[in-house]
Amino acid sequence: MFKTLDDIGSGKRVLVRLDLNSPVEDGIVKDNRRFVRHARTVRELLEAGHRVVVMAHQGRPGRDSFIPLDQHADLLAEYVEHPIAFVDDVYGDPAVDAIRSLDAGEILMLENVRMCDDELPEKPPEAHADSEFVRTLADEFDCYVDDAYSVAHRSHASIVGFPLVLPAYAGRVMAAEYEANSSIANRAFDGPVTMVLGGAKATDVIDVMSALDDEIDHYLLGGIVGELFLRAAGYDVGFDVGDGELYDHQWANNEDRIRELLAERGDRINLPVDLAYEGATGERAERPVDGVSKTQPLLDVGSDTVERYAALVEDSAAVFVKGALGVFEDERFSHGTVGLLETIATTDCFSVIGGGDTSRAIELYGLDEDYFSHVSIAGGAYVRALTGQSLPGVEVLERGRAE
Ligand SMILES: Nc1ncnc2c1ncn2[C@@H]1O[C@H](COP(=O)(O)OP(=O)(O)OP(=O)(O)O)[C@@H](O)[C@H]1O
Ligand SMILES: O=C(O)[C@H](O)COP(=O)(O)O
């Protein structure tokens, strides 16, 4: 296990890695729960009288979302309820001068760490620890805090380099995410374990299913992934219609694995028994799957499916969610996703809701996060945790030099 904020003491120069990577629309950063969550770690560090320097990233070079972090500093400051200075540099003289001018209880955010050439190459921790970026910054700090669980699947310099050269600690987000998301591997549950799997990314879902076996008693499928499984089971769905392009390429890439999973675990894989679509006057309409011949997009699981899935959830000791059961962003097609989330919220099972998109349904429909054991802010890292893979960022924290 790793050390946490409880082990740091007070009055230190702390370099903290957050994951504030956010959706960006027309150059504007969209507020999201990553800010709220990380604010708690930051506030705690400030209250302990540390000098706090935040390192984070946004987008990747070449993408529209690859922008500076000045807006992130302002948004985070609102949640921390404390001004956050920003310097448009990562480890050059302007950054080092700004770091040195901080007083106890003050906070500074560095520029997008992916603007630094040393950051992005996937390299082992030893190679990153020896980079100019890591060596230069490490000299300015007493310790490193990693709160960025959702980037822990990347072997990037700001994630794996510092724990080799500074005492390293897990922030509150890192510790909570690690504990909840690894619980299939690390905990025994006193009753059935259920996975709700949907959304748009078939390969992610199939990877999770392939990596798990006896641990899971019921798989409840929906969304695009559910339709692909229905296609493999012989139904006339799971292909693109009109100018759509969500299904056929995913089918071509995953058909064999889907057929294998159905053959090996068909008894535990639950598929939708009915599906919803847009009716002639724009209303939600539903049809049983055996009566469907797909001529238009199918946008949600139907009411009978929700009822069957809810009964299995009610009987479960633990439920893990990855991916939405329908296009929940449109209220007409939110019934599957939101109906199941509401059922999970009213039972006392251990529950983890993951997937960046899916967890947005919780706030969109005003569900209280406290009704779930954990709502993850991770995407790729959540999938890797569910598949039992270790994350480089967590591994290096565990073997870091925290004393
Ligand atoms: N039948 C469907 N047709 C089209 N889109 C769908 C359908 N069912 C679900 N979706 C879409 O899938 C999206 C969620 O899929 P995705 O696989 O990205 O989920 P996630 O696991 O929550 O996200 P991420 O992997 O990005 O963290 C939602 O935005 C939803 O609108
Ligand atoms: O938003 C995320 O999932 C993380 O910040 C990782 O971002 P990346 O996929 O660009 O590495």
Side-chain angles (χ1 to χ4, degrees):
M1 219 13 203
F2 33 62
K3 298 214 172 185
T4 70
L5 299 196
D6 299 331
D7 305 302
I8 297 188
S10 59
K12 300 269 171 58
R13 296 172 301 159
V14 178
L15 178 64
V16 58
R17 176 62 158 102
L18 308 181
D19 184 4
L20 301 173
N21 194 32
S22 302
V24 175
E25 270 175 29
D26 301 324
I28 306 296
V29 174
K30 306 274 282 182
D31 193 359
N32 64 85
R33 54 162 64 76
R34 285 185 173 171
F35 289 93
V36 189
R37 297 282 179 87
H38 285 302
R40 187 177 153 216
T41 296
V42 168
R43 214 168 23 240
E44 199 175 327
L45 290 169
L46 289 173
E47 280 164 7
H50 301 302
R51 293 165 167 77
V52 180
V53 174
V54 175
M55 202 165 46
H57 73 277
Q58 173 62 55
R60 281 178 178 251
R63 297 199 185 152
D64 289 347
S65 58
F66 184 57
I67 59 170
L69 294 192
D70 50 333
Q71 296 178 62
H72 301 70
D74 291 343
L75 267 172
L76 186 64
E78 282 176 32
Y79 289 109
V80 180
E81 296 177 343
H82 192 287
I84 298 182
F86 172 71
V87 59
D88 59 353
D89 185 37
V90 182
Y91 70 98
D93 289 344
V96 170
D97 289 348
I99 293 166
R100 289 184 183 166
S101 67
L102 277 187
D103 280 329
E106 287 186 344
I107 173 168
L108 166 75
M109 188 180 294
L110 302 176
E111 182 54 288
N112 187 344
V113 74
R114 289 187 176 176
M115 290 185 180
C116 151
D117 290 343
D118 285 341
E119 169 68 359
L120 276 169
E122 289 273 339
K123 287 192 201 165
E126 290 71 18
H128 276 310
D130 197 34
S131 67
E132 194 189 342
F133 157 51
V134 172
R135 280 188 287 113
T136 308
L137 274 190
D139 282 348
E140 305 301 320
F141 295 95
D142 301 311
C143 63
Y144 167 82
V145 171
D146 188 357
D147 212 26
Y149 177 88
S150 45
V151 216
H153 55 309
R154 309 284 185 217
S155 195
H156 293 166
S158 65
I159 303 294
V160 299
F162 291 99
L164 265 58
V165 294
L166 284 171
Y169 305 88
R172 297 299 180 205
V173 173
M174 169 63 82
E177 289 273 357
Y178 173 76
E179 196 190 331
N181 302 346
S182 313
S183 55
I184 294 183
N186 298 341
R187 264 180 79 155
F189 294 104
D190 192 15
V193 178
T194 294
M195 285 205 111
V196 180
L197 296 168
K201 297 178 190 127
T203 306
D204 275 2
V205 166
I206 292 162
D207 284 350
V208 170
M209 292 175 82
S210 305
L212 298 167
D213 192 1
D214 292 346
E215 303 91 331
I216 306 300
D217 299 283
H218 309 294
Y219 297 97
L220 313 183
L221 267 63
I224 288 160
V225 181
E227 243 192 273
L228 293 172
F229 273 75
L230 283 170
R231 176 170 173 174
Y235 294 96
D236 195 16
V237 299
F239 48 84
D240 290 316
V241 286
D243 52 8
E245 46 187 39
L246 290 165
Y247 294 88
D248 290 334
H249 75 281
Q250 300 213 73
W251 173 256
N253 292 338
N254 294 296
E255 177 184 351
D256 293 347
R257 295 174 75 199
I258 293 176
R259 289 193 189 284
E260 243 167 65
L261 283 165
L262 274 178
E264 285 166 10
R265 306 194 204 158
D267 54 332
R268 284 180 283 148
I269 297 177
N270 295 272
L271 300 180
V273 293
D274 51 357
L275 292 165
Y277 56 96
E278 186 174 45
T281 54
E283 80 287 7
R284 175 187 170 101
E286 296 188 358
R287 198 172 289 167
V289 276
D290 45 14
V292 175
S293 181
K294 189 175 181 186
T295 52
Q296 69 184 103
L298 300 164
L299 300 167
D300 195 10
V301 297
S303 326
D304 286 350
T305 306
V306 179
E307 208 173 296
R308 284 170 187 233
Y309 285 5
L312 290 167
V313 163
E314 276 162 6
D315 187 40
S316 298
V319 180
F320 295 82
V321 177
K322 157 75 181 113
L325 296 183
V327 183
F328 67 84
E329 295 88 345
D330 181 332
E331 201 274 329
R332 295 169 301 167
F333 304 109
S334 64
H335 300 193
T337 308
V338 177
L340 262 228
L341 287 174
E342 281 170 352
T343 304
I344 295 168
T346 55
T347 63
D348 59 3
C349 66
F350 177 81
S351 57
V352 182
I353 316 299
D357 281 307
T358 309
S359 50
R360 255 192 313 121
I362 291 174
E363 51 192 298
L364 205 58
Y365 291 94
L367 297 170
D368 190 337
E369 273 196 18
D370 292 344
Y371 289 138
F372 306 99
S373 309
H374 183 68
V375 178
S376 177
I377 54 170
Y382 178 61
V383 172
R384 281 172 181 75
L386 291 180
T387 59
Q389 295 176 54
S390 69
L391 307 174
V394 171
E395 254 175 41
V396 76
L397 268 190
E398 283 171 335
R399 74 180 168 107
R401 283 193 354 196
E403 272 135 24

